[in-house]
Amino acid sequence: MINNSQALQVQSTSTCLSTADMQDHEIDSDNWHLDGANMWFGFGGGNKSDRVELRGSSFSGSATGKKWTGKVKIQFGGSYSDGFTVGQVFGESTQDPILRLEFYASRSGVSNHLWAVYRTGTGSATVEYFDLGAATSSAFTPVTMEYGTSNRIQVTYGSVVHDFTTNFGYWDSSSKTVYFKAGCYLQEAGSCAVTYSSLTFDK
C-alpha cells in the first residue's frame, strides 16, 4: 500500500509524511499507526476539516480500471463525529472530490450508514447520494471503488454495488489527473476512528 502512496496528510498539524518517510517508519502515532496488522486513522476531538489521509499517486483522468480496495471498520456514536469521509476519488486538476465514501450519523431517515457521494462537476453541479448500507464498527466490511471502466465509477460495499455515470465525461479527460485517498476527513467536528484490515489502490 505505502509503495503506491505519495504522502500521509495530517491537516491539524504540520505533518506530511512522504513515501520514504513512511517506509522509514516515521509514524505519526497520534493520528495514524499500525494496530497489529491493521492500519488506524483517527482524531480525538477534531475540528471540521481536520484530516489524516493516505494520498495515492496521480493517474490520468482518462485511465480505466483503476481500483481503490479495502476492508474497513468505522467507530461511531458518543463523541464521534456525525459526518466524516473514509475514502475518496479526488480530482487533482480541479481540486474537487469526485466521489467520497461518507459516514453520516443521520441522513434521509437512516442512522449510521455509509454513503457514496458523487459530484457531477464543479461549482453548482449536481451531487448524487447513494446509501451503501449500515456502517460496521465491530467487523471489517469489504469496499471497492473502480474508476473509469465503462465510463463510470463503480462502488461496492459488502454486497451492495452502485454505478455513477452522470456527466462522467467531465472527469475522464486525459488533460486532468486523479488520485485516491483513504483515512478520515471530518465533515463535522468530533472524534474519528477508522481502521483498515487491508487497503490497496492503483497508481
Side-chain angles (χ1 to χ4, degrees):
M1 175 67 262
I2 290 175
N3 289 336
N4 282 7
S5 302
Q6 181 168 310
L8 178 75
Q9 301 169 327
V10 184
Q11 186 166 300
S12 62
T13 72
S14 60
T15 303
C16 187
L17 298 180
S18 68
T19 300
D21 291 336
M22 288 184 283
Q23 289 170 334
D24 286 341
H25 306 289
E26 296 182 25
I27 307 297
D28 184 332
S29 59
D30 290 338
N31 299 114
W32 179 70
H33 62 258
L34 294 180
D35 179 10
N38 304 322
M39 188 179 294
W40 181 89
F41 300 82
F43 287 104
N47 298 312
K48 182 177 179 179
S49 298
D50 281 352
R51 64 176 171 174
V52 53
E53 294 179 296
L54 204 57
R55 183 235 200 262
S57 299
S58 305
F59 55 87
S60 172
S62 62
T64 60
K66 296 293 186 179
K67 286 187 176 181
W68 177 113
T69 303
K71 292 182 179 179
V72 65
K73 181 169 64 175
I74 299 168
Q75 301 303 313
F76 49 83
S79 64
Y80 288 103
S81 169
D82 288 340
F84 51 90
T85 301
V86 303
Q88 299 187 60
V89 181
F90 198 84
E92 181 174 27
S93 305
T94 60
Q95 288 298 294
D96 287 301
I98 302 171
L99 187 140
R100 302 193 316 267
L101 297 176
E102 189 87 7
F103 169 83
Y104 287 106
S106 179
R107 180 177 173 81
S108 298
V110 296
S111 299
N112 303 322
H113 276 216
L114 191 68
W115 292 73
V117 183
Y118 173 70
R119 293 175 59 92
T120 62
T122 57
S124 59
T126 301
V127 178
E128 299 178 2
Y129 294 82
F130 184 81
D131 182 6
L132 295 169
T136 53
S137 60
S138 59
F140 290 98
T141 301
V143 58
T144 301
M145 295 183 284
E146 182 175 2
Y147 177 92
T149 302
S150 301
N151 300 309
R152 53 94 168 110
I153 300 178
Q154 184 178 85
V155 180
T156 304
Y157 182 66
S159 60
V160 177
V161 181
H162 186 73
D163 291 343
F164 291 93
T165 61
T166 307
N167 201 27
F168 182 72
Y170 178 83
W171 303 108
D172 73 351
S173 167
S174 60
S175 66
K176 296 178 180 178
T177 52
V178 176
Y179 58 82
F180 293 123
K181 301 175 86 172
C184 184
Y185 184 104
L186 295 180
Q187 305 294 336
E188 301 292 342
S191 298
C192 183
V194 177
T195 308
Y196 285 92
S197 63
S198 65
L199 179 62
T200 61
F201 37 71
D202 296 332
K203 62 180 180 179

